[in-house]
């Protein structure tokens, strides 16, 4: 899917009065099948950008176009169908605790299926081989029939990525997929994600706190700061000076870009299912 953003400004509905907009006049274009990493200090607007591209946040000013169409100008049914071609994988995957991994992974496909097939697959999962294949890309195929709340934080995160791949979406929006993974797993997960997206020609936009991994795995890197574009460059052209300017006053975040030493358990916090 092709993405075009023109001078987009986004304000969160719950933001306090007078707070600066989370994104301010952002313009960028992402080609069909392109892979882009978004980096920047905490609060820069990375998650908001993914929400904007996922049609979960509407621009207050400016315009988003997906495959040349403004989603917010579409009739409701067409907007729903378009949303079915997008997948936003939030930082904490929205996996219902008592669900089996296979069901949770296949739930990523629901927007592509008929209502009857969706209901039936929640009770009798079909496409088990597909779920297993997606899980094996992240080395968690052995958890296929485990309950989600019996997984470690790192395993949950990898199941969340498998769910994104199983979705068959043509625009994958992945928010900080490495926070609970050890360095080796993080490398493997990013390699699998970028490889799978490439194989199927899906466009991939991922936010990453690990700058080194963004530079290593993505051909193009966007630096966001205070809701605006700091740079948009091929990874090979991002210099230490660019990074120091991007993280100025937040250099501690730049220094801490190495992933944790081992799988870190995360709370199974419920996340709204708004964007799957
Ligand atoms: N639901 C919300 N309601 C109000 N303000 C919000 C909301 N979510 C984010 N913001 C504000 O929008 C700005 C951008 O936040 P965003 O989460 O997009 O940043 P981020 O770069 O993803 O940060 P992090 O790296 O810490 O996840 C911040 O000032 C934040 O406080």
């Amino acid at each position: 899917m092709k993405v075009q953003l023109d001078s987009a400004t986004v304000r969160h509905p719950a933001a306090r009065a007078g707070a600066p907009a989370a994104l301010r006049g952002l313009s960028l274009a992402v080609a069909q099948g392109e892979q882009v990493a978004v980096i920047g200090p905490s609060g820069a607007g990375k998650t908001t950008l993914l929400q904007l591209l996922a049609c979960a946040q509407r621009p207050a000013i400016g315009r988003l176009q997906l495959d040349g169409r403004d989603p917010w100008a579409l009739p409701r049914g067409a907007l729903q169908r378009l949303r079915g071609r997008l997948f936003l994988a939030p930082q904490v995957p929205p996996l219902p605790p008592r669900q089996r991994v296979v069901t949770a992974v296949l739930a990523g496909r629901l927007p592509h299926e008929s209502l009857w097939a969706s209901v039936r697959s929640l009770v009798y999962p079909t496409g088990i081989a597909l779920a297993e294949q997606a899980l094996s890309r992240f080395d968690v195929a052995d958890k296929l029939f485990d309950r989600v709340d019996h997984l470690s934080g790192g395993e949950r995160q990898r199941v969340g990525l498998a769910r994104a791949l199983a979705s068959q979406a043509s625009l994958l929006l992945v928010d900080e997929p490495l926070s609970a993974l050890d360095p080796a797993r993080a490398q493997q997960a990013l390699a699998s994600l970028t490889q799978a997206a490439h194989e199927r020609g899906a466009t991939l936009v991922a936010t990453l706190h690990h700058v080194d991994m963004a530079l290593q795995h993505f051909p193009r890197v966007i630096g966001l700061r205070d809701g605006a574009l700091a740079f948009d460059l091929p990874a090979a052209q991002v210099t230490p000076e660019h990074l120091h300017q991007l993280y100025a006053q937040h250099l501690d975040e730049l220094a801490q870009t190495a992933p944790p030493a081992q799988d870190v358990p995360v709370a199974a916090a419920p996340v709204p299912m708004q964007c799957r």
Side-chain angles (χ1 to χ4, degrees):
M1 183 177 290
K2 206 167 58 174
V3 176
Q4 174 84 37
L5 207 52
D6 295 304
S7 307
T9 292
V10 174
R11 297 177 207 287
H12 287 280
R16 62 179 164 72
L23 292 178
R24 289 182 267 160
L26 200 64
S27 296
L28 58 92
V30 182
Q32 161 75 44
E34 203 177 352
Q35 304 196 343
V36 183
V38 182
I39 62 173
S42 185
K46 302 182 294 297
T47 300
T48 307
L49 173 59
L50 294 190
Q51 292 170 344
L52 171 65
L53 301 185
C55 306
Q57 292 282 354
R58 189 172 183 160
I61 306 171
R63 189 166 69 149
L64 167 68
Q65 287 182 85
L66 298 174
D67 276 347
R69 294 185 303 172
D70 178 348
W72 298 103
L74 293 175
R76 198 187 163 104
L79 176 59
Q80 279 309 105
R81 282 193 295 281
L82 178 65
R83 282 186 169 133
R85 296 176 54 213
L86 319 172
F87 192 100
L88 173 59
Q91 293 191 23
V92 180
L95 307 176
R98 296 172 65 86
Q99 208 168 50
R100 300 279 164 196
V101 167
V102 59
T103 312
V105 170
L106 292 174
R109 294 173 58 79
L110 293 182
H112 301 268
E113 295 179 330
S114 68
L115 180 62
W116 165 241
S118 303
V119 172
R120 193 186 49 188
S121 74
L122 286 173
V123 184
Y124 304 106
T126 49
I128 291 173
L130 189 138
E132 192 169 13
Q133 195 185 14
L135 289 163
S136 68
R137 286 201 179 254
F138 300 99
D139 202 20
V140 275
D142 58 324
K143 305 293 179 192
L144 187 64
F145 296 109
D146 285 17
R147 266 174 50 165
V148 164
D149 53 354
H150 293 172
L151 303 179
S152 75
E155 288 164 348
R156 284 173 58 86
Q157 204 157 35
R158 285 181 282 149
V159 167
L161 290 173
R163 177 181 164 110
L165 290 192
S167 74
Q168 310 283 306
S170 48
L171 175 59
L172 295 170
L173 304 159
V174 183
D175 199 4
E176 182 41 64
L178 311 177
S179 59
L181 302 185
D182 63 62
R185 292 282 187 210
Q187 288 283 3
Q188 184 198 26
L190 266 194
S192 297
L193 181 65
T194 51
Q195 168 80 20
H198 176 71
E199 281 167 16
R200 77 153 85 137
T203 308
L204 172 65
V205 182
T207 72
L208 288 166
H209 284 132
H210 306 309
V211 172
D212 45 350
M213 297 222 189
L215 296 173
Q216 191 182 335
H217 288 274
F218 286 80
R220 176 179 169 193
V221 177
I222 287 177
L224 268 191
R225 189 180 166 93
D226 297 331
L229 206 61
F231 60 78
D232 180 354
L233 290 169
Q237 290 176 21
V238 177
T239 63
E241 288 70 35
H242 285 122
L243 298 176
H244 273 79
Q245 277 177 20
L246 182 67
Y247 287 90
Q249 287 100 45
H250 304 270
L251 284 176
D252 51 325
E253 292 182 40
L254 184 57
Q256 290 171 5
T257 54
Q262 54 190 349
D263 270 15
V264 178
V266 293
V271 174
M273 294 292 286
Q274 185 183 11
C275 325
R276 281 182 283 150

